[in-house]
Amino acid sequence: MAQYGLVEWHDGDKAEVDIVFVHGLWGGRESTWTKDGVIWPKDLLSEDIPNSRILSYGYDSGVVRSDTAEVTQGNLEDDARRLCSFLDDERKRTNTTGRPIIVVGHSLGGLVLAQVICSGDGAAEGDSSNSIAQKIKGMLFLGTPFYGSGIAGWGEVVRRIYSLVQKTDQTTLKNLKLDSEELRDLRSGFPDVICERNQASAEVAVFFFFEKKTTYKVLVVGERDASCPGVGEILPIYANHLDICKFDNVEDDGYKQVRAKIMQVIKGTRVTKANKVRGGPNKLPSTDTDQ
């Protein structure tokens, strides 16, 4: 049975941040983050960052249809909207709507998260997309194909991913249309929104991780492809595309990198809150509240 919607993996007694994981193409809300039976957000990160609530979002990430194989911004918008609706409902139910959010996306799941930011920027106040987007304070992208100049094309990379994961005839993707005008708008719109927010008082820390190893001799999403120029920090992880999101112990270098950036965002939100509440950075706020 498909696992869609939100699942909660951890909820600390003094949780001060929501950390949300979104899988990529043909992934799963559990399998994407699992290595040798270890679901690292649930089994490792919860121990290292106990004052958090950790959730994973599952959605229909397949792009193959019987007569075509097309991913358009409309689909990304739908997935982003559903994610925001689920998450906003949960935060309202638990009276935690004021809590900052950190999101982690693998592969095309990162595009869903980029769409959350773009959709939220244009949504009305009170809309779930706006409510969630405005509380996102950190974004970590693991092997997400944003693309810069000189790239073969979205369709080519998704064909690579599809052939690696599904081991099937690539002709089934002959109608893939990922170089659509809508997706080009997303690739340009996302960095614009991040720059605008970082110039105002709604800063978002962005980290792009790219793979250094090939997957079956193919470098699926390399450094040039995995980021938006001029936005965020770009970092390597010595893994392939399928394993860049999988860790089985706290000594894994990739896990250490991702954990460090999540903790960096949390520290930054504490300082920002202290400045707003107390008018200065000298004392961090108490974490005794869920808000």
Side-chain angles (χ1 to χ4, degrees):
M1 176 180 287
Q3 294 183 328
Y4 298 154
L6 280 176
V7 60
E8 181 185 285
W9 281 336
H10 173 73
D11 189 12
D13 292 337
K14 297 182 179 180
E16 58 183 321
V17 62
D18 284 342
I19 307 174
V20 183
F21 290 81
V22 180
H23 65 78
L25 197 64
W26 295 288
R29 66 182 185 185
E30 181 174 306
S31 60
T32 291
W33 317 104
T34 302
K35 181 178 180 180
D36 294 336
V38 176
I39 308 171
W40 68 267
K42 177 182 180 181
D43 300 328
L44 305 181
L45 195 66
S46 62
E47 295 292 325
D48 288 335
I49 309 179
N51 289 352
S52 66
R53 176 167 56 184
I54 299 174
L55 308 108
S56 184
Y57 177 64
Y59 62 106
D60 182 1
S61 60
V63 298
V64 176
R65 310 286 189 268
S66 58
D67 57 346
T68 185
E70 181 175 357
V71 170
T72 68
Q73 190 181 23
N75 290 332
L76 290 176
E77 287 180 345
D78 288 346
D79 290 328
R81 189 178 300 114
R82 281 192 290 267
L83 167 59
C84 290
S85 178
F86 277 114
L87 188 54
D88 193 41
D89 287 346
E90 178 64 16
R91 285 160 63 87
K92 287 177 178 176
R93 185 186 70 81
T94 55
N95 194 30
T96 55
T97 55
R99 185 183 292 174
I101 302 169
I102 299 172
V103 293
V104 183
H106 173 241
S107 192
L108 271 72
L111 298 181
V112 174
L113 295 172
Q115 185 64 56
V116 168
I117 291 291
C118 292
S119 297
D121 182 67
E125 184 175 353
D127 182 274
S128 62
S129 296
N130 180 269
S131 298
I132 295 303
Q134 291 304 313
K135 288 300 180 180
I136 292 178
K137 302 301 180 183
M139 308 186 78
L140 286 76
F141 298 98
L142 306 178
T144 294
F146 280 100
Y147 291 134
S149 59
I151 306 302
W154 284 75
E156 175 59 29
V157 167
V158 174
R159 284 184 182 91
R160 296 178 200 169
I161 299 172
Y162 185 77
S163 65
L164 296 174
V165 175
Q166 298 292 334
K167 301 287 198 313
T168 192
D169 188 348
Q170 293 189 45
T171 60
T172 58
L173 291 181
K174 64 183 180 180
N175 292 322
L176 193 62
K177 298 176 181 177
L178 287 172
D179 277 314
S180 66
E181 180 179 351
E182 290 82 4
L183 283 175
R184 288 195 295 272
D185 289 344
L186 175 61
R187 295 200 298 272
S188 63
F190 172 70
D192 287 346
V193 174
I194 294 297
C195 288
E196 290 174 3
R197 287 187 55 168
N198 287 345
Q199 291 171 359
S201 59
E203 296 89 348
V204 182
V206 179
F207 305 97
F208 302 101
F209 292 91
F210 64 93
E211 63 221 46
K212 290 289 288 183
K213 294 184 178 181
T214 60
T215 307
Y216 303 117
K217 300 181 180 181
V218 175
L219 188 65
V220 179
V221 182
E223 178 177 3
R224 184 174 58 176
D225 308 350
S227 65
C228 295
V231 177
E233 185 175 355
I234 306 170
L235 300 160
I237 288 184
Y238 286 88
N240 64 33
H241 186 74
L242 301 180
D243 292 338
I244 195 172
C245 54
K246 300 178 187 295
F247 318 116
D248 62 358
N249 68 83
V250 295
E251 297 303 320
D252 186 292
D253 287 341
Y255 174 73
K256 290 179 180 179
Q257 289 178 268
V258 172
R259 178 187 59 190
K261 294 309 176 183
I262 292 175
M263 295 179 74
Q264 179 179 323
V265 176
I266 294 173
K267 181 178 179 180
T269 61
R270 288 173 178 168
V271 171
T272 300
K273 184 176 179 180
N275 288 338
K276 290 181 178 179
V277 173
R278 296 191 172 100
N282 295 326
K283 187 176 180 182
L284 295 182
S286 169
T287 58
D288 290 340
T289 175
D290 278 347
Q291 301 304 310

